[in-house]
């Protein structure tokens, strides 16, 4: 069975070492064992868990959502409706975030159009529209 030191695990998972440490502090991963030299070693299951976490984070899932999924994995006989509901809630949140970002984009475009680049800061319409002019 393959075991990794934290820097090897991080490299294999393509994550910064600090990120691996953070996930360990959040109890999303745990070392397999601590050797006599006091180094922590991690196994293949931990690597797979890290890859799972990385993929979930790539989908903008929260650490709480990831922890829920990890907890559910430990109950293989439970129905997957819980997972379906979690993903549905996440989709709704992503849709809300997209709508907010589109709104931000429109507001920023309006601000950009209000400014003439040939003016000075004290006449900048962007700053005035943002309420920052003096």
């Amino acid at each position: 069975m393959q075991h990794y030191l934290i820097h090897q695990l991080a490299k294999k998972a393509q994550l910064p070492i600090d990120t691996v440490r953070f996930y360990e502090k959040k109890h999303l991963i745990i070392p397999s064992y601590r050797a006599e030299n006091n180094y922590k070693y991690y196994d293949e299951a931990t690597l797979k868990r890290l890859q799972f976490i990385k993929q979930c984070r790539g989908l903008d899932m929260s650490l709480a959502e990831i922890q829920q999924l990890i907890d559910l994995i430990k109950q293989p006989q439970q129905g997957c409706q819980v997972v379906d509901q979690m993903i549905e809630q996440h989709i709704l949140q992503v849709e809300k975030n997209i709508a907010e970002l589109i709104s931000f984009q429109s507001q920023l475009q309006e601000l950009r159009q209000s400014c003439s680049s040939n003016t000075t800061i004290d006449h900048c319409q962007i700053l005035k529209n943002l309420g920052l002019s003096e």
Side-chain angles (χ1 to χ4, degrees), residues 112 114-129 132-134:
R112 179 62 190 100
S114 72
C115 184
S116 167
S117 298
N118 298 329
T119 190
T120 60
I121 293 294
D122 60 340
H123 292 98
C124 179
Q125 292 302 307
I126 292 174
L127 294 176
K128 287 182 182 180
N129 288 334
L132 195 60
S133 64
E134 297 195 9

Side-chain angles (χ1 to χ4, degrees), residues 3-4 9 13 20 24 28-33 41-53:
H3 285 91
Y4 308 100
L9 181 71
V20 175
E24 186 176 344
L28 294 172
I29 63 167
I30 56 171
S32 303
Y33 68 94
Y41 287 87
Y42 304 84
D43 60 14
E44 286 291 325
T46 306
L47 175 60
K48 287 182 191 246
R49 169 81 57 91
L50 258 179
Q51 292 167 333
F52 169 80
I53 294 167

